[in-house]
Amino acid sequence: MTESIINFYELRRKQPRFQGIDAGHRACLGCGEALAARLVLESTGPDVIVANATGCLEVFTTPWPESAWRVPWLHSLFENAAAVAAGIEAALKAQGRQSKVLAFGGDGATFDIGFQALSGMLERGHNVLYVCFDNEAYMNTGIQRSSSTPHAAATTTSPAGKQRMGKRHLKKDIVSIIAAHHIPYAATASVAFPSDLRKKVRRAMAIDGATFLQIHCPCPLGWGHESEESIAVARLAVQTGLFPMIELERGELTGAMPIREQKPVVDYLKPQARFRHLFADDARAREELEHLQALADHNIEIYKLLGSGVDALDSEGADTVRRGGNRWG
Amino acid sequence: MSDVKYTRGGCARPATSLQFHTGSWRVQRPVHRHGAAPCHVACPAGENPQAYLARIEEGDEQAAWRELVTINPLPAITGRVCPHFCESACNRATYDSAISIHGVERYLGDKALAHDWHYAVPARAVGAARVAIVGAGPAGLAAAYHLTLLGYQAVMFEANPEPGGTLRGAIPEYRLPRGVLQVEMQRVLDIGIEFRANTRLGRDVSLEELRQSHAAVFLGPGTQRARYWHVDGIVQRDLHQALDLLKAWNTVGKLSMPASVAVVGAGNTALDTARILRRAGVASVHLVAHKALPEQAASGDDVMPVHPREIAQALEEGVQIHPHRGIRRLLLRGERVVGVEMVHMKKLRGADGVYARVAFEGTETVLHVEQVIPAIGQTVDGVGFDALVADNGFVSVNAQGAVTAGYQGVFAGGDAIGKGGTVTRAIGDGRRAAAAIHGFLQGREWAASVLAPVTFAQLNVNYFEPAPRPEDPVLALKKRIGEKEVVGGIEQQAVLQEAQRCFSCGNCFACDNCWTLCPDTAVLKTQELAADGAHYVFDYDYCKGCGICAQECPCGFIAMEAEL
Amino acid sequence: MRQTLEGSQAIAKTVALCRPQVVAAYPITPQTHIVENISKLVADGALQCELVSVESEFSAASVVLGAAAAGARAYTASASQGILLMSEVLFNIAGLRIPLVLTCANRAVGAPLSIWNDQQDSMAVRDAGWIQLYCADNQEAVDTTVQAFRIAEQCELPVMVCVDGFTLTHTLEPIDVPDQDLVDQYLPPYHFARALQPRQPLSLGTLVAPDYYAEARHSHHQAMLHAKALIAQCDRQWQELSGRASGGLFEVHGASDARIGILALGSIVGTLLDAHAAHVQRDDVQIIKLRSLRPFPGAELAVALSGLSDLVVVERALSPGGGGIVGVEIRSAFHYHGVNVRVHNVAVGLGGRDVPLSTLDRILDLVAHGSAEEFQILDVQLDKLPPEDR
């Protein structure tokens, strides 16, 4: 097979995976969200219906008359994806259809504006997997802070300046709030750990009821790192303890990805322009760096993330490659 | 979908975004770039350990052996005696520990012997050109083997009754059991090589005769003449050469020596001599080496060209090593040695930029020994081809292995060309000379490819789990008597684990990372191998050039290339 | 079968006859009994449907949006603040061209807080892109509900059935509730061509750039205009089956050569007709029931009312600082079509104020004395306000 005679159209059609989002979408270079959404759909397969909140994912996949989706997909509004998904699910139930309903939203749509509809959907126990693509700010509208923006990160509405070191408040602990609905399954995942991500999607898919997955997705534009570093940055978020990878069932912590070797938070912060002000020679900057380190240490403590010894499923071993691929089956 | 009105509510068909080629955004493109595995670059024989480790990981040991013997027909031998330049170069060493390539090589070599696997040799055409090979050591055997694979009739001329050269004469059996040597060499000869034993060049046949009756000649005579050894012109009366002692030990199995002996030299011959002296019952054996011990070496030092393992074993066996020392004087009683005066010595770069050994005054010490055995190397015994031997005592060859003295169609390799005397290097010389002879006979120039090794920084090691390297089983000190093989081989499970530990530097091993992590679905997996040997192709219609695939490729196989 | 029923109950029974598959509602005050009654029918097993009790009107509208998009016949009801809370979704449903039926039990919009009837709520979402049909009585509410599903599903537009809160929804009346067979005969099973389903993985609700947005809006507007004929046709077809019509786009009562017209929406029409029949009995007066506010039958009204000298538009809502809402539209239509009728515009019955039969006399007095203003709240009692606020 040589490149000149490859029929890319045929080859694309024959890929041994389900590409729920196909090429040609308009996401920025290195978009973590585009990757995460495709990974989710790889694990769900085609028998799903997606309700998508307004946001980057919606915009970059569907510039009419084109669509990147290969699944039935509906975008309504910013704040109602969970309710629309609930309606779709009710319709399927009424019609005796079996497809799984997915709701997709960014962190703004999930943590902030769509939170009420999400809470209602979870309370009513619809058979919906809600996936939050968490890139930690309103990226689609120009990088404004959301309640998911991490402490001290600079955004266009939480800029760093003489009086402020970026966002004053903390990142909302959404997964704990979600888990407090006592739904069967809530978890966090990261694009840097695709095998873990897909395992969690499969777990959620197997449950008849409301489930929730928060996926940490770097945004090169909003975070200010190079496009090729998306995976590396996401990996560091986990390895520093700033983004704990946990699973909660009926509100109880049932799983946590151990960190074999905790990395200092500066490793994670340094490649990102949104934290650049923390590296100024400034007492407040030093304090905020210590603060972020303390937050990471706190996560490690409360979730008991420090693993000892070799664990094939810890932050080092979860995505070990092997010859011949298909490691994520 | 016939009654669907696509204009209503912004309705769109699935995957219609494929109409839009996001590739137009790109300013840099990923490309597959084969990098040379450091182990491959480092191997003097030209082996590609990465390739056979891959076959093992795929579960096909015989295919792995076949891959291996496309380059080196004697893996059971080199797996035992090679100092493993490949492992020193292995990127895995920077991460945890180098792959036990020698262990895998030996395992495959032994497995082939045990299962009687045969080389794949194409049928030779009637009237195939005949090529003469002088010397049935590793260089000659490799040349004969590769020439046979290339379709020639190889004819070997060996002065001794049996093939082997250095392998037989200079390497003690505790490192290379005779059984292994015998069977593996015989398997080479059995592929249709004519073997003329007891035929010495210059005595039984002349170079001119060989040139006239053969299309080409390969000389692998080895180095049979010990370097002239003296200290300030003084030579002891009962001088023994290390190589002669080894030969005697290997054939007779006993030596008559005084109770304290100093061996002078830094190479395998010196070390092996010291060790056989211990086995022969010499109570006090000293090794005076002008080079550094491997574990003490600072960068730029010249290190003893032996396997660190061998040094450790020698020390365990009671050999006393004096590194960075030279001998300044012999202490004689009459013509009999009663001791040596040693001095600290180092190779330093002088004002003219040339490296030279410098002795440090005031560091002299006396070692009381009754015998001094030089093991400082040998040169070519050029009887019958004197014209080819240069002033330095070696046969001078060009990059293709052709002798430079104006004899068309004559090539040389192995110890005789003085490029560092290892079995592996000799095997490489034989293979390269075979290729060069083939080129010569076809009327075209052959050139070995020069590759830059993949560096550790080019890899993404986040995707590899630390895993320990299996240690070779070593015979307990008490059991190291006579000819018992000291170092054992590793087991199948360990071999498989080593294959799995391989980073596959610079070559795709189909891990799916690029395919999985491309946010733009612009990496497609191929059923068969793509033209460039990868398992994936880039769909440049959609690739935006973000660089994630290159960054996350564990093997350093993807590079980003600027586009206009 | 003729039964004496509360309006809400009659509507609930009718909705059930339309075999909805998903009903969502939120019980904001002032909700009607409609969804409560539907809930009871579901609880009793008389209706097979998914009832989703959501946490807000916003989600109620979102749930039925999703359900209808997934191919299920869906229904919800709301009023007042609830309509306004769901207004973003209402625009969205219409823009997505999703067929749905919503009963708006018209009520005032706070502040000040009022739980009583007027039509400010549906008027506020007049531009959402929904078909709006106003019912004069509970029989019309029943018949219009059945028709609404058929209209919505045939033209892929949502229909808001506006029924005056309290005035109709909480009033007991003898009502003909149709038989199931009749409804089944009239209303084919729901089929949504763009339905979300894995074997037809369409994308709905994409991003439309400026190069197409105007066309999308035009097509929506045209669909509404085309719906005029459909609304009239569906009413006729229902009449053929049930013997009852609800007035098509609008209905004119009174002598064809009348000089004075009074146009109203909703239950005031009944009051005016009763007043006319009982007290006034003037041959020169027509009562016009405007049933379809959207699509707006401007041209049709201009033709039908061109013989009048005066038309009084009676509304139950206003646009503060602008005046009447329907009145402005009618003036505009008359002007465009060259109809020279003097259009008076009043509001009555705001926030549940009683609209007595005498209202007709007061309206006719206004016309007779030529004292009508461009717009006025007819029954306002200014002495209740301090002078500076009058």
Side-chain angles (χ1 to χ4, degrees):
Chain A
M1 191 192 276
T2 65
E3 209 160 301
S4 56
I5 58 153
I6 292 175
N7 181 337
F8 278 96
Y9 175 81
E10 274 299 303
L11 186 59
R12 182 170 289 280
R13 222 172 42 81
K14 291 191 301 198
Q15 291 297 292
R17 67 176 173 193
F18 177 61
Q19 297 180 164
I21 296 182
D22 219 317
H25 63 69
R26 316 298 208 260
C28 302
L29 279 69
C31 176
E33 192 177 38
L35 170 59
R38 201 201 68 227
L39 289 174
V40 168
L41 292 176
E42 271 176 41
S43 294
T44 65
D47 192 13
V48 293
I49 297 175
V50 175
N52 203 144
T54 309
C56 283
L57 181 61
E58 166 261 321
V59 169
F60 72 64
T61 54
T62 59
W64 189 90
E66 296 168 20
S67 169
W69 300 89
R70 287 190 185 272
V71 290
W73 178 93
L74 169 64
H75 160 245
S76 172
L77 297 167
F78 199 0
E79 65 274 46
N80 69 351
V84 169
I88 296 169
E89 184 254 11
L92 297 186
K93 216 176 255 178
Q95 296 165 336
R97 285 159 63 189
Q98 299 296 324
S99 307
K100 184 89 175 187
V101 181
L102 309 177
F104 288 173
D107 50 287
T110 306
F111 288 56
D112 293 344
I113 195 167
F115 182 72
Q116 173 181 317
L118 171 58
S119 178
M121 185 277 283
L122 299 175
E123 178 268 329
R124 295 187 301 272
H126 292 277
N127 184 18
V128 170
L129 166 56
Y130 188 102
V131 182
C132 170
F133 299 97
D134 182 9
N135 56 20
E136 304 192 322
Y138 291 90
M139 299 310 185
N140 188 36
T141 47
I143 318 163
Q144 292 87 11
R145 64 84 90 184
S146 76
S147 61
S148 172
T149 303
H151 179 68
T155 68
T156 55
T157 52
S158 65
K162 272 188 185 159
Q163 297 296 321
R164 294 267 190 277
M165 296 303 279
K167 187 185 173 188
R168 284 185 290 163
H169 316 101
L170 300 175
K171 181 180 170 89
K172 190 194 268 189
D173 181 6
I174 193 76
V175 75
S176 297
I177 300 167
I178 297 297
H181 288 76
H182 286 261
I183 57 170
Y185 187 75
T188 58
S190 163
V191 285
F193 296 92
S195 58
D196 175 73
L197 190 161
R198 299 203 259 203
K199 186 193 78 186
K200 285 167 176 168
V201 172
R202 286 198 297 270
R203 173 94 182 91
M205 287 294 286
I207 291 169
D208 186 2
T211 49
F212 177 86
L213 190 59
Q214 177 190 359
I215 305 176
H216 203 226
C217 313
C219 169
L221 191 71
W223 295 12
H225 59 76
E226 297 300 326
S227 62
E228 72 268 23
E229 288 179 317
S230 287
I231 304 300
V233 164
R235 185 161 47 228
L236 282 165
V238 174
Q239 290 173 333
T240 53
L242 282 172
F243 191 85
M245 299 268 267
I246 55 171
E247 291 173 285
L248 297 139
E249 300 186 55
R250 299 288 180 201
E252 293 284 328
L253 184 70
T254 54
M257 179 187 280
I259 300 172
R260 193 182 300 169
E261 197 185 330
Q262 188 191 359
K263 301 262 167 59
V265 292
V266 293
D267 286 8
Y268 170 65
L269 305 173
K270 206 128 197 199
Q272 302 182 52
R274 62 178 175 157
F275 295 113
R276 185 179 294 146
H277 54 284
L278 300 181
F279 294 92
D281 185 21
D282 178 311
R284 294 171 313 152
R286 285 191 289 275
E287 184 187 320
E288 289 297 14
L289 278 181
E290 290 298 333
H291 188 174
L292 288 165
Q293 184 61 57
L295 288 170
D297 294 345
H298 176 71
N299 281 336
I300 286 172
E301 190 182 315
I302 59 170
Y303 294 117
K304 300 182 178 63
L305 294 180
L306 271 197
S308 54
V310 176
D311 178 341
L313 295 176
D314 68 11
S315 61
E316 304 288 315
D319 273 285
T320 303
V321 293
R322 65 174 172 77
R323 181 176 301 279
N326 290 330
R327 64 188 187 276
W328 302 315
Chain B
M1 300 183 201
S2 57
D3 56 346
V4 170
K5 304 284 188 292
Y6 290 97
T7 49
R8 292 187 181 174
C11 185
R13 291 175 179 83
T16 40
S17 62
L18 289 168
Q19 294 160 16
F20 187 79
H21 289 182
T22 50
S24 62
W25 302 1
R26 199 173 55 237
V27 296
Q28 53 170 4
R29 63 159 66 194
V31 290
H32 288 151
R33 185 164 291 166
H34 286 282
C39 52
H40 179 33
V41 176
C43 179
E47 276 184 28
N48 186 0
Q50 185 187 80
Y52 57 79
L53 285 165
R55 301 291 89 74
I56 289 173
E57 196 176 3
E58 289 159 8
D60 192 340
E61 292 180 349
Q62 192 166 0
W65 179 79
R66 290 209 178 288
E67 177 77 47
L68 172 48
V69 298
T70 56
I71 303 295
N72 171 12
L74 304 169
I77 293 169
T78 49
R80 287 174 165 82
V81 303
C82 178
H84 304 297
F85 306 100
C86 51
E87 293 183 19
S88 308
C90 178
N91 276 324
R92 186 98 200 185
T94 311
Y95 184 67
D96 45 17
S97 50
I99 310 287
S100 178
I101 298 170
H102 77 278
V104 175
E105 184 184 40
R106 172 178 172 159
Y107 172 84
L108 291 173
D110 286 354
K111 183 114 184 182
L113 296 180
H115 289 77
D116 201 20
W117 291 341
H118 288 275
Y119 307 114
V121 183
R124 193 172 18 234
V126 178
R130 295 166 69 81
V131 179
I133 291 123
V134 177
L141 285 166
Y145 170 78
H146 285 285
L147 285 164
T148 306
L149 295 193
L150 289 166
Y152 298 97
Q153 174 61 59
V155 188
M156 299 195 82
F157 299 88
E158 169 59 46
N160 294 305
E162 288 178 305
T166 315
L167 296 172
R168 188 179 295 278
I171 299 177
E173 189 160 8
Y174 65 83
R175 285 215 288 138
L176 178 59
R178 288 295 163 266
V180 172
L181 177 65
Q182 200 70 41
V183 179
E184 196 155 61
M185 284 195 305
Q186 193 57 47
R187 190 181 56 202
V188 174
L189 296 176
D190 285 349
I191 62 174
I193 296 166
E194 285 181 35
F195 184 70
R196 309 272 173 82
N198 301 313
T199 311
R200 181 187 284 276
L201 183 62
R203 183 188 72 192
D204 306 313
V205 63
S206 75
L207 179 60
E208 220 28 59
E209 283 167 4
L210 289 181
R211 290 185 71 197
Q212 280 171 13
S213 54
H214 296 83
V217 177
F218 175 77
L219 299 177
T223 48
Q224 309 299 335
R225 180 181 291 166
R227 271 182 198 281
Y228 175 66
W229 187 80
H230 64 96
V231 178
D232 292 340
I234 296 167
V235 181
Q236 68 210 81
R237 189 183 53 192
D238 51 347
L239 179 69
H240 290 275
Q241 293 293 343
L243 217 50
D244 296 337
L245 292 178
L246 278 171
K247 220 173 260 176
W249 173 259
N250 287 342
T251 49
V252 183
K254 69 180 185 199
L255 296 171
S256 169
M257 276 283 137
S260 61
V261 176
V263 179
V264 182
N268 269 317
T269 306
L271 197 64
D272 283 339
T273 305
R275 292 179 71 186
I276 60 155
L277 288 173
R278 286 288 298 138
R279 281 172 172 70
V282 177
S284 178
V285 177
H286 298 268
L287 181 68
V288 182
H290 52 273
K291 298 190 181 209
L293 289 176
E295 66 265 30
Q296 293 174 345
S299 80
D301 260 0
D302 57 336
V303 178
M304 294 172 66
V306 291
H307 199 293
R309 180 186 71 196
E310 307 284 339
I311 291 175
Q313 287 166 7
L315 290 169
E316 283 169 8
E317 291 161 11
V319 175
Q320 299 172 62
I321 301 180
H322 307 272
H324 275 315
R325 297 289 197 290
I327 290 180
R328 167 150 295 184
R329 275 191 323 132
L330 292 180
L331 306 183
L332 301 171
R333 184 159 296 157
E335 288 185 348
R336 195 164 60 80
V337 172
V338 292
V340 294
E341 182 186 306
M342 295 193 299
V343 66
H344 285 238
M345 234 180 190
K346 240 178 183 174
K347 198 177 200 179
L348 297 174
R349 194 158 68 152
D352 55 358
V354 177
Y355 281 93
R357 288 214 168 75
V358 179
F360 301 108
E361 202 180 345
T363 60
E364 297 82 356
T365 48
V366 170
L367 192 63
H368 297 282
V369 291
E370 295 160 72
Q371 177 70 271
V372 178
I373 299 167
I376 57 162
Q378 299 92 41
T379 56
V380 175
D381 179 359
V383 176
F385 54 101
D386 287 328
L388 303 184
V389 181
D391 289 346
N392 66 358
F394 296 107
V395 176
S396 171
V397 296
N398 67 12
Q400 282 75 42
V403 301
T404 54
Y407 287 74
Q408 254 225 329
V410 179
F411 295 75
D415 287 354
I417 62 170
K419 299 268 172 69
T422 63
V423 172
T424 327
R425 166 85 207 190
I427 289 171
D429 287 346
R431 182 179 60 83
R432 283 182 289 271
I437 288 168
H438 183 53
F440 164 73
L441 296 176
Q442 302 241 308
R444 55 181 172 74
E445 186 106 319
W446 171 84
S449 50
V450 180
L451 304 164
V454 171
T455 63
F456 185 73
Q458 286 172 272
L459 307 173
N460 188 331
V461 298
N462 282 292
Y463 294 97
F464 298 103
E465 274 280 81
R469 162 193 167 102
E471 291 308 325
D472 296 332
V474 178
L475 204 60
L477 197 54
K478 280 187 287 187
K479 295 183 179 170
R480 287 186 214 168
I481 40 172
E483 294 156 0
K484 272 196 184 163
E485 188 170 22
V486 173
V487 178
I490 56 175
E491 300 292 322
Q492 185 173 37
Q493 189 52 43
V495 167
L496 181 61
Q497 193 197 309
E498 289 309 272
Q500 287 165 348
R501 289 201 321 128
C502 175
F503 282 164
S504 191
C505 305
N507 284 298
C508 180
F509 73 155
C511 72
D512 280 357
N513 252 16
C514 54
W515 187 58
T516 302
L517 297 174
C518 174
D520 300 310
T521 323
V523 177
L524 300 178
K525 193 168 179 161
T526 56
Q527 203 95 46
E528 316 97 72
L529 278 187
D532 60 5
H535 300 77
Y536 311 92
V537 290
F538 296 110
D539 191 342
Y540 292 117
D541 280 350
Y542 304 107
C543 169
K544 296 168 186 164
C546 72
I548 285 180
C549 54
Q551 180 87 6
E552 299 303 323
C553 175
C555 309
F557 179 61
I558 303 174
M560 297 306 290
E561 211 174 64
E563 279 185 298
L564 292 178
Chain C
M1 193 177 69
R2 200 164 179 82
Q3 307 166 48
T4 299
L5 292 169
E6 187 193 38
S8 293
Q9 204 180 353
I11 293 167
K13 282 189 176 233
T14 309
V15 168
L17 292 171
C18 296
R19 303 186 188 277
Q21 290 158 295
V22 176
V23 173
Y26 180 74
I28 194 177
T29 304
Q31 179 56 283
T32 63
H33 302 149
I34 298 172
V35 287
E36 293 173 23
N37 286 316
I38 292 174
S39 304
K40 186 78 171 83
L41 290 170
V42 172
D44 291 344
L47 173 61
Q48 299 292 324
C49 109
E50 281 300 315
L51 189 70
V52 187
S53 301
V54 289
E55 82 294 335
S56 71
E57 276 84 2
F58 194 90
S59 284
S62 301
V63 164
V64 290
L65 181 161
R73 182 171 286 157
Y75 171 84
T76 188
S78 189
S80 183
Q81 316 300 134
I83 289 288
L84 293 196
L85 180 58
M86 61 169 67
S87 64
E88 190 191 2
V89 191
L90 297 180
F91 276 76
N92 200 252
I93 290 168
L96 285 167
R97 303 288 305 276
I98 288 176
L100 268 182
V101 174
L102 177 150
T103 301
C104 175
N106 291 108
R107 310 230 196 166
V109 174
L113 179 61
S114 165
I115 61 166
W116 293 275
N117 166 238
D118 71 26
Q119 295 169 350
Q120 193 69 54
D121 49 6
S122 56
M123 287 295 164
V125 294
R126 179 189 54 163
D127 298 336
W130 285 56
I131 291 172
Q132 284 195 350
L133 302 177
Y134 288 78
C135 303
D137 57 37
N138 280 326
Q139 186 63 57
E140 276 190 23
V142 164
D143 295 335
T144 300
T145 298
V146 179
Q147 292 177 28
F149 280 104
R150 180 162 159 149
I151 295 165
E153 290 165 16
Q154 280 200 18
C155 63
E156 294 189 344
L157 284 168
V159 178
M160 187 179 292
V161 179
C162 301
V163 183
D164 283 324
F166 280 109
T167 318
L168 295 178
T169 58
H170 290 57
T171 308
L172 284 162
E173 285 182 57
I175 298 168
D176 268 328
V177 177
D179 291 340
Q180 184 69 62
D181 287 351
L182 197 67
V183 176
D184 288 347
Q185 209 180 323
Y186 179 76
L187 189 59
Y190 177 47
H191 167 74
F192 182 45
R194 286 171 288 140
L196 299 166
Q197 48 187 314
R199 61 188 161 81
Q200 174 188 271
L202 298 174
S203 297
L204 272 63
T206 63
L207 173 73
V208 170
D211 63 354
Y212 183 71
Y213 191 77
E215 287 72 22
R217 296 295 282 165
H218 174 80
S219 114
H220 190 168
H221 178 52
Q222 286 300 314
M224 290 289 272
L225 297 182
H226 292 322
K228 284 187 202 175
L230 183 66
I231 292 165
Q233 184 199 46
C234 285
D235 195 34
R236 277 197 307 277
Q237 285 165 336
W238 179 244
Q239 186 180 20
E240 283 163 20
L241 282 178
S242 70
R244 291 183 305 276
S246 296
L249 296 167
F250 61 89
E251 194 172 50
V252 180
H253 296 269
S256 57
D257 57 351
R259 301 293 296 159
I260 298 168
I262 303 171
L263 180 143
L265 306 85
S267 62
I268 298 180
V269 175
T271 307
L272 293 173
L273 285 172
D274 287 350
H276 189 252
H279 307 291
V280 183
Q281 295 180 337
R282 278 171 56 167
D283 290 343
D284 61 343
V285 172
Q286 282 180 348
I287 309 292
I288 301 110
K289 176 179 80 182
L290 180 58
R291 182 170 178 245
S292 172
L293 179 66
R294 283 292 180 275
F296 184 66
E300 293 83 349
L301 284 167
V303 171
L305 306 179
S306 61
L308 299 175
S309 64
D310 291 84
L311 176 69
V312 183
V313 177
V314 182
E315 310 195 38
R316 242 177 169 158
L318 74 155
S319 173
I325 297 165
V326 183
V328 170
E329 295 193 354
I330 287 179
R331 278 187 185 125
S332 163
F334 282 8
H335 180 75
Y336 178 77
H337 292 286
V339 174
N340 192 18
V341 177
R342 187 175 158 81
V343 178
H344 311 267
N345 196 183
V346 300
V348 296
L350 299 180
R353 180 160 298 180
D354 188 33
V355 182
L357 292 176
S358 60
T359 305
L360 180 57
D361 292 319
R362 291 201 56 190
I363 290 168
L364 291 173
D365 279 354
L366 275 182
V367 176
H369 295 104
S371 60
E373 296 166 29
E374 185 187 357
F375 170 77
Q376 59 185 297
I377 300 175
L378 194 62
D379 44 5
V380 70
Q381 292 163 7
L382 293 175
D383 54 357
K384 292 178 180 169
L385 293 171
E388 63 272 25
D389 284 358
R390 283 175 193 167

